Amino acid sequence: MVTDYDCWKADEAHVTVEMIIAQPAQNAERAKAIIARALPQIPAEPGCSCHRALRNAVMTDKKFCPPKPAPN
């Protein structure tokens, strides 16, 4: 998220320390709002072909792939 998009503009007011300190908190709130809106739109079960788009993307013979690590 943008923190100082106007740093290149000479005709804008200078940024204060208070503004700099407040920006990450505002960005965090915006990020939470975006996630809260986006999550309900993700289907619980994949139903589109995009979920299989990379199925054949790796063409390396499986014998050359390292084994999956054991769960911790």
Side-chain angles (χ1 to χ4, degrees):
M1 304 231 167
V2 176
T3 57
D4 191 10
Y5 69 91
D6 63 341
C7 63
W8 56 272
K9 295 180 79 176
D11 59 337
E12 292 285 331
H14 291 288
V15 176
T16 65
V17 171
E18 291 79 14
M19 293 167 70
I20 294 169
I21 292 171
Q23 194 62 49
Q26 292 172 0
N27 285 347
E29 290 305 314
R30 287 186 188 113
K32 289 179 197 176
I34 290 168
I35 292 168
R37 268 184 82 185
L39 282 179
Q41 297 180 43
I42 299 172
E45 294 294 324
C48 72
S49 63
C50 61
H51 289 275
R52 297 181 300 280
L54 297 176
R55 179 174 286 160
N56 298 312
V58 177
M59 298 177 67
T60 303
D61 190 321
K62 292 200 186 279
K63 69 182 177 189
F64 296 112
C65 297
K68 289 184 180 179
N72 290 334

